[in-house]
């Protein structure tokens, strides 16, 4: 178990087994490394050149110090042109994988503000993640027992206050990664529902110690296939019909007495997606255990918000199903009736995520939230448009803006996408049902999927976050992202909930709020 602490000590005098400093693109050491630069003096430029460090992001070099500083090992990591929180977060993640088997590590990266300290803590912990549950023997590299973040602001209350929230957030991101990385045979919809229940129970046990015994607990209800049939959840039942593992809808409620806002979170939880009868090519199925990442994100964000004691009511819906081929599989041409009574003509059984979300959105609307945000690995079209490291965000302008702002604050890239009227017309083009699930037109599929979802939001403020690209890293690690599941979306949602909980500080805004 690694212990994380903040200290204001000099990196040149710190006796940790490894001291980490950042290097900027101009060849200078970044803020935090001044004492190390002074200790090496004129030898520093030659040292950087000899180990091939130019300050580019992703560069890491380890140098024996030979007594130049108190630590025996100096670790140099590239930050790029500017030491922004995003750059620091990625650099700390790169260091976590490069420095192994050190009993103690001192991070002298830029950390003179709460945002930068948070970035160092989050980046280092997330970058050192490894999914080892199925390894017959533990990996050889071990995490350090002690990690010290060296910051001149260590004694400032607002800086010290980020330590626990950063660890709560990273706990949630790592738990989401574990779920997404789990083999699909071991995380069927019923098994995933059990995991969510267990996670909520574990979170509730932490709350009295963290916020007093009157803290609000996270309540969980699991709707099984019998209850789903009683409620008329045709999306979940239709998608899950071909699987031996029946669907589930897991509903979580966090309702603190001092809540200042009510946010509904909805997540797509397809535990494996074969495409159904519209079966995927073999190569496209290799990573389809990731198709439940939206559900993992909304659940873990909810649990993190509870641990942080945020004064926000949260209604969360995880729509879980396995899209398989079986004798009862849903067929193209079928008509399914969603929870809210809307009929939908099925055009493509591999466009299943929007169907399970339709049921969950209908349930969310009934709670009357101030806003709804759904998260889903929904379309390959969004990956084609934005690449593999950025999500697309669509919906009501004000909620889209809030999600984008939260992503920027959390270090998760996202981009707004439109919902033009001609796409809405396509969704309503079915001649046999209220809506078309898929119309066979190749272009604008990501927009079509979002326009379909909007039909089930009841006119409430809403944003759809398509995370099909950034939720699973298929190549090698990059910054604080490790190969496989990234946990994308958890940090954005927690930041969104933090922002929803923030009091109005501008006097004009406060006056306007009072007047309304």
């Amino acid at each position: 178990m690694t212990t994380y602490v903040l200290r204001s000590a000099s990196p040149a005098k710190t006796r940790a087994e490894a001291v980490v400093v950042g290097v900027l693109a101009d060849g200078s050491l970044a803020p935090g490394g001044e004492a190390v630069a002074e200790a090496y003096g004129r030898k520093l430029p030659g040292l950087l050149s000899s180990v091939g460090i130019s300050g580019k992001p992703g560069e890491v070099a380890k140098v024996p110090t030979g007594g130049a500083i108190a630590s025996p090992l100096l670790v140099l990591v590239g930050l790029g042109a500017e030491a922004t929180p995003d750059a620091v977060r990625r650099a700390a993640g790169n260091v976590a994988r490069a420095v192994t088997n050190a009993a103690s590590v001192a991070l002298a990266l830029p950390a003179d503000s709460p945002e930068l300290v948070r970035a160092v803590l989050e980046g280092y912990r997330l970058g050192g993640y490894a999914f080892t549950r199925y390894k017959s023997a533990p990996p050889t590299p071990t995490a350090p027992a002690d990690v010290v973040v060296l910051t001149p602001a260590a004694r400032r209350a607002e800086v010290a206050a980020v330590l626990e929230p950063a660890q709560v957030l990273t706990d949630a991101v790592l738990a989401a990664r574990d779920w997404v990385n789990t083999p699909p045979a071991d995380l069927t919809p019923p098994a995933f529902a059990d995991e969510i229940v267990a996670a909520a129970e574990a979170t509730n046990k932490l709350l009295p110690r963290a916020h007093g015994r009157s803290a609000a607990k996270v309540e969980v209800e699991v709707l099984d296939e019998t209850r789903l049939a009683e409620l008329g959840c045709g999306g979940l039942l239709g998608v899950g019909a071909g699987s031996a593992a029946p669907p589930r809808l897991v509903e979580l409620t966090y309702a603190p007495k001092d809540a200042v806002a009510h946010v509904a979170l909805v997540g797509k939880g397809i535990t494996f997606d074969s495409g159904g009868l519209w079966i995927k090519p073999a190569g496209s199925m290799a990573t389809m255990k990731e198709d439940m990442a939206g559900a993992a994100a909304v659940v873990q964000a909810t649990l993190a918000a509870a641990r942080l004691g945020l004064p926000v009511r949260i209604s969360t819906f995880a729509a879980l199903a396995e899209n398989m081929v079986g004798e009862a599989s849903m067929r193209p041409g079928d008509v399914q009736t969603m929870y809210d009574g809307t009929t939908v003509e099925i055009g493509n059984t591999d466009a299943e995520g929007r169907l399970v979300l339709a049921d969950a959105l209908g349930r969310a609307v009934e709670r009357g939230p101030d806003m709804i945000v759904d998260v889903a690995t929904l379309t390959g079209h969004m990956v084609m448009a934005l690449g593999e490291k950025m999500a697309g965000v669509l919906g009501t302008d004000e909620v889209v803006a809030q999600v984008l702002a939260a992503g920027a604050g959390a270090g998760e890239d996202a981009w707004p996408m439109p919902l033009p009227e001609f796409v809405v017309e396509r969704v309503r083009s079915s001649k046999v049902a209220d809506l078309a699930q898929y119309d066979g037109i190749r272009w604008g599929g990501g927009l079509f999927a979002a326009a379909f979802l909007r039909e089930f939001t009841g006119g409430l403020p809403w944003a759809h976050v398509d995370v099909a690209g950034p939720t699973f890293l298929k190549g090698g690690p990059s910054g604080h992202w490790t190969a496989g599941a990234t946990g994308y979306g958890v940090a954005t949602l927690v930041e969104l909930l933090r922002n929803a909980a923030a009091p109005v500080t501008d006097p004009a805004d406060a006056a306007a709020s009072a007047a309304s």
Side-chain angles (χ1 to χ4, degrees):
M1 186 73 177
T2 301
T3 300
Y4 294 83
V5 297
L6 308 180
R7 289 183 190 155
S8 57
S10 165
K13 297 179 180 179
T14 297
R15 296 188 179 277
E17 288 191 10
V19 167
V20 180
V21 297
V23 182
L24 296 171
D26 63 4
S28 65
L29 294 193
E34 295 89 348
V36 173
E38 184 178 349
Y40 276 91
R42 296 180 180 178
K43 297 179 181 179
L44 182 61
L47 173 66
L48 297 177
S49 177
S50 67
V51 298
I53 288 286
S54 64
K56 292 180 180 179
E59 293 179 334
V60 181
K62 294 181 283 187
V63 182
T65 65
I69 60 175
S71 173
L73 183 67
L74 176 65
V75 183
L76 302 160
V77 58
L79 286 169
E82 189 178 356
T84 64
D86 283 350
V88 169
R89 187 180 286 107
R90 294 186 182 107
N94 288 326
V95 166
R97 291 185 299 277
V99 181
T100 56
N101 293 327
S104 58
V105 175
L107 303 171
L109 294 167
D112 60 356
S113 70
E115 294 78 15
L116 287 170
V117 170
R118 174 184 162 189
V120 173
L121 289 164
E122 292 174 0
Y124 189 86
R125 190 158 184 232
L126 295 176
Y129 167 83
F131 185 65
T132 60
R133 184 179 301 172
Y134 292 82
K135 296 286 187 181
S136 56
T140 301
T142 57
D146 298 296
V147 173
V148 180
V149 177
L150 299 178
T151 167
R155 296 181 183 274
R156 285 165 46 190
E158 68 271 23
V159 171
V162 307
L163 183 58
E164 181 184 1
Q167 294 192 69
V168 169
L169 174 65
T170 51
D171 281 347
V173 175
L174 298 181
R177 288 182 182 180
D178 280 348
W179 278 344
V180 177
N181 281 327
T182 298
D186 292 343
L187 200 75
T188 60
F192 192 8
D194 290 344
E195 288 272 341
I196 293 171
V197 171
E201 291 174 347
T203 296
N204 287 337
K205 289 178 181 178
L206 296 173
L207 298 182
R209 291 197 296 272
H211 303 294
R213 295 193 176 276
S214 61
K217 300 294 182 75
V218 179
E219 299 178 0
V220 185
E221 183 178 6
V222 178
L223 308 182
D224 64 12
E225 67 273 29
T226 301
R227 183 65 177 138
L228 293 174
E230 292 172 351
L231 292 171
C233 294
L236 279 157
L237 292 168
V239 172
S243 173
R248 296 286 186 266
L249 180 60
V250 184
E251 303 183 348
L252 296 85
T253 302
Y254 170 65
K257 293 181 180 179
D258 58 346
V260 297
H262 182 188
V263 178
L265 302 177
V266 176
K268 173 187 172 185
I270 302 299
T271 60
F272 186 77
D273 183 16
S274 71
L277 291 180
W278 198 300
I279 195 164
K280 293 179 182 290
S284 298
M285 279 193 241
T287 60
M288 278 300 102
K289 64 181 182 181
E290 72 175 273
D291 216 15
M292 37 61 68
V298 299
V299 169
Q300 286 298 333
T302 302
L303 300 182
R307 287 185 62 186
L308 293 170
L310 297 182
V312 179
R313 179 183 177 91
I314 308 171
S315 301
T316 299
F317 303 82
L320 314 181
E322 187 177 42
N323 190 25
M324 299 291 279
V325 177
E327 61 183 10
S329 289
M330 183 173 60
R331 296 161 288 263
D334 283 351
V335 173
Q336 300 288 344
T337 302
M338 304 297 105
Y339 170 73
D340 70 353
T342 301
T343 58
V344 175
E345 181 182 9
I346 306 304
N348 180 347
T349 64
D350 194 22
E352 81 299 326
R354 64 199 69 179
L355 298 174
V356 302
L357 290 172
D359 285 337
L361 286 166
R363 297 282 291 176
V365 166
E366 291 181 340
R367 301 287 181 93
D370 301 319
M371 73 170 79
I372 302 174
V373 178
D374 77 75
V375 182
T377 49
L378 206 60
T379 66
H381 295 84
M382 203 60 66
V383 185
M384 294 175 67
L386 298 176
E388 295 183 328
K389 294 187 177 181
M390 181 175 290
V393 186
L394 309 90
T396 312
D397 289 346
E398 62 268 27
V399 184
V400 168
Q402 291 178 59
V403 172
L404 294 173
E412 294 186 330
D413 292 330
W415 196 258
M417 300 292 280
L419 279 177
E421 188 59 33
F422 72 84
V423 175
V424 176
E425 293 172 358
R426 287 170 52 189
V427 171
R428 298 172 182 171
S429 65
S430 173
K431 292 180 173 56
V432 299
D434 297 330
L435 300 177
Q437 172 240 21
Y438 174 81
D439 66 354
I441 297 176
R442 181 178 179 185
W443 313 114
L447 311 186
F448 183 100
F452 178 88
L453 295 180
R454 189 173 67 176
E455 297 290 327
F456 299 91
T457 61
L460 293 175
W462 155 80
H464 160 62
V465 187
D466 191 330
V467 298
T471 200
F472 202 85
L473 193 60
K474 298 177 178 65
S478 175
H480 58 297
W481 283 6
T482 50
T486 65
Y488 183 101
V490 176
T492 292
L493 293 176
V494 172
E495 191 74 7
L496 179 74
L497 295 168
R498 278 197 186 109
N499 294 342
V504 177
T505 56
D506 184 85
D509 290 344
S513 297
S516 62

